[in-house]
């Protein structure tokens, strides 16, 4: 029997296709890191053709590589480099999207030391080119996630440079930011916030 | 004495500030790789606040890392991964910009084997999100560079999949592409092409 929504649209039992084991796995993912949740979200956006957002690879300075016969090249010595940009970028309806994601165990404020000078400089560059730029902040102990526009972050960053506090108060984030409820699919629906802010 | 352009604008002798040695170095860079030329171009765009375009780091699968006391972490074993996207992306006047750069020693055609399935798939994704997507093709023996829209590349790619030739004829690139003359600063002025095509 076909089940329909009140508006007449057919209800597709996509969830029912998953085995109980699969579902259990999915729902037991509560311990996922912010990065894993965002990658999962981006995978969903890509598959559903909603947006094309990728995490940039970790920048590495390669010093020494072995090229063994008949097998893949092995990097034998390399070092982590500091990223010169934010971690995530891509395109949504023609618009350039750029963001960084950070988490804290704090409950009452978000430490600004989570951000580096390079990243803040990059955010300024993106803003001046009219890109959509923001940060996703997770309070892990509270299990709360916020979308904070980069312009707001820059305000708090500059306040710190001028001798102000070294963190953003939770209440300030509540006021300027946009809370994102953790979902099933997509897990962290930041595109929904962009829709509200830009369309 | 101030030298002025015919429109009255002051001519700034920025080049004159460079020492003869510096200039010699700059002009002896003719052997630069396409990647170096593009990085140089992007650095110029960034400094001049024209656009914010970065090369993505090479993706690496890290297997083993040493954490010596009192010094930086050393990656002792890692492997190159195939990129899932193109190499360059960023923002220009709010628009998402995405491209790949490839070179060939051939003189009469550009081999399609230079591109990977992943990259082509990514280009399709970007196009469907209305991003600006293209490839920069250099014929090294001819010292010629072309801007080719990704839609054109996809046409030739699909022709190959349908049993057609495995390369793009030089004449075809001449016809669909846009030749870029190598400049001093910026070296490969692809933003100029975007201006012509989109503004």
């Amino acid at each position: 029997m076909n089940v329909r929504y009140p508006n007449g649209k057919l209800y597709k039992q996509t969830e029912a296709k998953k085995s109980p084991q699969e579902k259990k796995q999915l729902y037991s993912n509560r311990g996922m890191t912010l990065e894993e949740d965002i990658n999962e979200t981006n995978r969903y956006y890509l598959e559903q053709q909603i947006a094309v957002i990728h995490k940039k690879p970790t920048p590495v300075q390669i010093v020494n590589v072995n090229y063994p016969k008949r097998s893949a090249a092995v990097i034998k010595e390399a070092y982590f480099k500091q990223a010169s940009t934010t971690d995530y970028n891509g395109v949504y309806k023609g618009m350039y999207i750029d963001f960084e994601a950070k988490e804290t165990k704090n409950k009452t404020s978000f430490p600004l030391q989570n951000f580096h000078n390079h990243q803040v400089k990059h955010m300024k560059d993106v803003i001046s080119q009219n890109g959509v730029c923001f940060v996703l902040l997770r309070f892990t102990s509270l299990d709360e996630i916020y979308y904070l526009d980069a312009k707001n972050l820059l305000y708090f960053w500059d306040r710190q440079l001028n001798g102000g506090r070294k963190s953003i108060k939770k209440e300030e984030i509540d006021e300027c930011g946009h809370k994102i409820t953790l979902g099933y699919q997509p897990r962290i629906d930041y595109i929904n916030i962009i829709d509200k802010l830009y369309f």
Side-chain angles (χ1 to χ4, degrees), chain A:
Chain A
M1 194 194 103
N2 285 337
V3 180
R4 285 176 190 276
Y5 286 112
N7 66 6
K9 213 177 143 193
L10 201 64
Y11 168 70
K12 286 188 186 163
Q13 283 185 288
T14 42
E15 280 195 38
K17 284 178 192 161
K18 298 205 181 294
S19 72
Q21 273 179 324
E22 279 178 297
K23 277 186 113 175
K24 205 176 159 190
Q25 276 186 331
L26 282 163
Y27 280 105
S28 64
N29 274 346
R30 292 300 175 207
M32 277 171 96
T33 64
L34 182 55
E35 180 179 326
E36 286 167 334
D37 277 336
I38 293 172
N39 289 345
E40 200 53 60
T41 302
N42 291 342
R43 197 173 300 134
Y44 176 82
Y45 286 154
L46 188 64
E47 279 172 12
Q48 300 295 313
Q49 298 190 296
I50 293 166
V52 182
I53 318 278
H54 289 274
K55 184 178 186 294
K56 292 191 180 181
T58 307
V60 157
Q61 178 73 50
I62 296 164
V63 175
N64 189 10
V65 184
N66 264 17
Y67 297 93
K69 280 183 191 167
R70 277 182 277 276
S71 59
V74 191
I75 299 163
K76 300 298 283 182
E77 187 186 354
Y79 298 89
F80 293 103
K81 280 198 294 187
Q82 192 161 51
S84 52
T85 66
T86 48
D87 273 359
Y88 302 88
N89 76 356
V91 56
Y92 173 58
K93 294 183 180 170
M95 294 193 302
Y96 177 76
I97 310 294
D98 191 298
F99 65 97
E100 184 62 42
K102 298 286 185 188
E103 38 196 347
T104 184
K105 286 176 183 166
N106 285 15
K107 289 178 182 174
T108 56
S109 69
F110 204 96
L112 286 161
Q113 64 181 16
N114 277 294
F115 300 95
H116 308 294
N117 270 317
H118 291 86
Q119 294 175 325
V120 173
K121 200 258 177 196
H122 175 70
M123 290 179 199
K124 285 180 184 167
D125 290 338
V126 170
I127 291 169
S128 73
Q129 280 299 324
N130 288 316
V132 174
C133 194
F134 58 94
V135 288
L136 293 178
L137 306 177
R138 174 183 262 168
F139 288 91
T140 48
S141 317
L142 307 168
D143 208 12
E144 285 182 10
I145 299 168
Y146 289 86
Y147 173 113
L148 184 71
D149 194 284
K151 282 173 192 155
N152 291 121
L153 179 73
L154 291 175
Y155 167 80
F156 298 120
W157 184 265
D158 288 342
R159 181 175 70 179
Q160 174 195 32
L161 292 184
N162 293 321
R165 45 181 302 139
K166 292 182 167 59
S167 65
I168 315 172
K169 277 190 200 168
K170 178 72 163 42
E171 301 94 81
E172 291 172 327
I173 295 171
D174 264 318
E175 203 183 311
C176 325
H178 306 269
K179 200 168 173 173
I180 302 180
T181 315
L182 198 67
Y184 169 60
Q185 261 189 342
R187 296 184 67 78
I188 302 175
D189 194 3
Y190 60 85
I191 289 286
N192 180 250
I193 310 286
I194 294 174
D195 274 337
K196 284 179 187 160
L197 295 176
Y198 294 87
F199 289 97

